[in-house]
Amino acid sequence: MSNQIETIFLVQLENRDRQTVFWRAILAAPIVFFVATFAVDTWDSDWNTVTYGLFVLPVILALAFRGTYPSYLLAFNKSFFELLNRVWAYITLLNDLYPSIESSDSVKITYPEINEGKSLSRGLPLIKWAMAIPLAIVGFVYALYALLMLALAWFNILFSGNMPEVCADVLVRTSQYWNRIYGYAILLVTDEYPSFSL
């Protein structure tokens, strides 16, 4: 098993609902607002926008000073990160399932075994964010490519009711890439440096 976060998205290529695709941004607004309520000062601070309400600083402190990843923080971060990915799958047109605030089959995320944080470095969480900067730079290039594929997918679904497989593949792989970065630098569930490849 890989020592990275592994993400599986339910992708719907055919028989897409054209009306929900056309109004997707408006339909997603309530669930996006729900997610935003978890991040304190989301509109004022870039850091909170990046973490989306995930617990990061308490995890860094617990790992650095106690050598443990508190189980209640891990449970919350896992559940909330899956919610974020369900919302993301809906917004990026991967499927037509409205994101549930409870666990669902539209997104499955597998985490590496961390043995309550004992298998994680105590000092590395303090610098992982800096080490992830090159990954983020490459990720922004991938994100631009994915944005182009998203626009192509939107028009295809709107006019034909089907999503091109190549568009879905790029969107899924880009999302998986960013999830690996989050697993490394934000969720802090692995010390293994993610690959630069999609």
Side-chain angles (χ1 to χ4, degrees):
M1 182 177 167
S2 171
N3 203 22
Q4 296 289 321
I5 283 182
E6 295 177 6
T7 312
I8 300 171
F9 292 95
L10 174 68
V11 179
Q12 183 181 353
L13 295 176
E14 299 176 346
N15 301 320
R16 300 299 301 270
D17 186 348
R18 296 179 192 185
Q19 290 181 338
T20 62
V21 168
F22 186 76
W23 301 104
R24 188 63 52 105
I26 295 170
L27 293 172
I31 194 72
V32 170
F33 179 76
F34 175 77
V35 167
T37 62
F38 284 89
V40 180
D41 295 327
T42 297
W43 312 111
D44 298 332
S45 168
D46 289 339
W47 176 248
N48 284 329
T49 304
V50 170
T51 61
Y52 297 108
L54 295 164
F55 286 102
V56 179
L57 186 57
V59 173
I60 291 172
L61 294 174
L63 284 171
F65 293 107
R66 301 291 310 249
T68 186
Y69 198 124
S71 60
Y72 53 92
L73 294 178
L74 181 60
F76 176 84
N77 282 348
K78 280 182 176 183
S79 297
F80 192 66
F81 195 60
E82 284 185 3
L83 172 62
L84 289 170
N85 276 274
R86 286 192 297 274
V87 172
W88 182 248
Y90 185 71
I91 290 171
T92 57
L93 310 175
L94 293 177
N95 59 55
D96 292 333
L97 299 173
Y98 195 79
S100 169
I101 59 173
E102 297 294 332
S103 182
S104 78
D105 292 335
S106 66
V107 174
K108 294 279 186 202
I109 300 178
T110 306
Y111 293 82
E113 180 60 46
I114 62 169
N115 193 22
E116 297 176 359
K118 292 176 180 58
S119 61
L120 298 172
S121 167
R122 292 179 79 158
L124 204 51
L126 300 171
I127 59 168
K128 280 183 180 179
W129 62 271
M131 293 173 61
I133 290 172
L135 291 163
I137 292 168
V138 171
F140 284 121
V141 174
Y142 289 149
L144 291 175
Y145 180 47
L147 188 60
L148 178 67
M149 291 292 114
L150 179 60
L152 180 64
W154 188 82
F155 282 110
N156 254 314
I157 294 170
L158 202 58
F159 293 114
S160 71
N162 298 320
M163 181 178 203
E165 192 171 342
V166 67
C167 295
D169 186 56
V170 169
L171 290 166
V172 166
R173 288 176 180 267
T174 302
S175 300
Q176 291 170 335
Y177 177 85
W178 277 100
N179 282 355
R180 290 192 300 271
I181 294 174
Y182 267 77
Y184 176 76
I186 305 295
L187 294 171
L188 306 171
V189 293
T190 183
D191 288 339
E192 183 180 300
Y193 198 74
S195 166
F196 283 94
S197 66
L198 282 181

